C-alpha cells in the first residue's frame, strides 16, 4: 500500500499531466510544438514589460545584445514578435508581441486555468472550499 506522500505525488503528477496537455494544445494551435521553455520565458518577459528595448531585454535576461538579436530574429520568423521603431530615437527599437506571441506567453496561465476549471467541475462547493483551505495552508 502506498504511503500518503506517494499518493500525493501520484495525484499531483496527474494534475501536471493535465496542465501540460492543455499547454501542448495551446502551442499546437499556434503551430509551435517545438518551442523551448527558455523561449517561452522570454516571451513572458516581453509580455510583462510591454514595449521593451533590445538592451533592456538583454539586461533582464542577462544575455548579450547579439544573443537577444538572434533570438528576436527567430521570434520574428515565427511571427511571435515585431519590431517597433522608437519615436524619440531612430537607433532604438521596441520589441512587441504579436497576437500569437501573446497567446504563447499566456499559455501556461491559460493551461492552469483550464485545470482549475476541470477541478471545479469535478468538485462540489464544500470540496472546493476544503481544497482552497488546504492549499492556503501550504507554504
Amino acid at each position: 500500500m502506498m504511503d500518503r506522500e506517494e499518493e500525493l505525488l501520484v495525484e499531483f503528477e496527474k494534475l501536471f499531466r493535465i496542465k501540460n496537455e492543455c499547454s501542448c494544445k495551446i502551442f499546437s494551435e499556434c503551430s509551435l510544438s517545438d518551442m523551448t521553455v527558455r523561449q517561452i520565458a522570454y516571451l513572458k518577459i516581453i509580455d510583462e514589460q510591454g514595449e521593451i528595448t533590445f538592451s533592456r531585454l538583454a539586461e533582464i535576461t542577462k544575455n548579450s545584445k547579439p544573443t537577444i538579436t538572434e533570438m528576436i530574429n527567430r521570434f520574428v520568423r515565427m511571427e511571435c514578435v515585431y519590431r517597433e521603431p522608437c519615436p524619440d530615437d531612430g537607433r532604438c527599437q521596441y520589441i512587441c508581441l504579436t497576437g500569437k506571441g501573446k497567446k504563447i506567453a499566456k499559455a501556461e496561465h491559460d493551461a492552469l486555468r483550464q485545470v482549475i476549471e476541470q477541478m471545479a467541475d469535478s468538485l462540489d462547493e464544500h470540496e472546493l472550499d476544503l481544497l482552497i483551505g488546504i492549499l492556503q495552508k501550504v507554504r
Side-chain angles (χ1 to χ4, degrees):
M1 179 155 179
M2 282 196 265
D3 68 354
R4 301 305 265 167
E5 288 182 10
E6 189 65 29
E7 285 183 67
L8 276 172
L9 178 65
V10 169
E11 296 308 317
F12 272 96
E13 284 175 340
K14 287 179 192 175
L15 286 174
F16 288 129
R17 188 174 53 251
I18 292 168
K19 187 194 80 59
N20 289 339
E21 287 169 2
C22 293
S23 296
C24 288
K25 182 180 174 198
I26 292 167
F27 295 141
S28 252
E29 290 169 2
C30 294
S31 303
L32 293 171
S33 57
D34 59 343
M35 173 100 26
T36 68
V37 173
R38 181 173 284 194
Q39 289 171 326
I40 294 166
Y42 291 150
L43 290 176
K44 285 181 181 180
I45 291 168
I46 296 166
D47 186 47
E48 290 164 4
Q49 297 290 314
E51 292 180 335
I52 187 170
T53 64
F54 282 75
S55 297
R56 180 71 180 129
L57 186 57
E59 179 184 319
I60 291 170
T61 61
K62 297 178 179 27
N63 283 298
S64 67
K65 284 205 275 188
T67 299
I68 294 300
T69 299
E70 182 182 324
M71 181 191 57
I72 295 304
N73 288 341
R74 190 174 309 123
F75 283 158
V76 168
R77 287 190 300 275
M78 296 165 82
E79 300 176 351
C80 294
V81 301
Y82 62 94
R83 292 174 173 88
E84 183 72 34
C86 178
D88 302 328
D89 184 351
R91 299 166 298 166
C92 180
Q93 291 184 325
Y94 289 115
I95 306 162
C96 304
L97 292 179
T98 63
K100 184 178 185 178
K102 287 178 185 176
K103 187 172 186 176
I104 294 164
K106 296 185 183 320
E108 293 297 310
H109 182 263
D110 292 345
L112 192 54
R113 184 164 296 286
Q114 288 177 20
V115 170
I116 291 167
E117 287 172 8
Q118 287 183 24
M119 290 171 68
D121 290 345
S122 302
L123 303 172
D124 63 33
E125 283 298 313
H126 176 70
E127 291 168 327
L128 277 173
D129 290 340
L130 282 173
L131 178 61
I132 291 167
I134 291 166
L135 292 173
Q136 288 173 339
K137 288 177 112 177
V138 177
R139 298 194 193 276

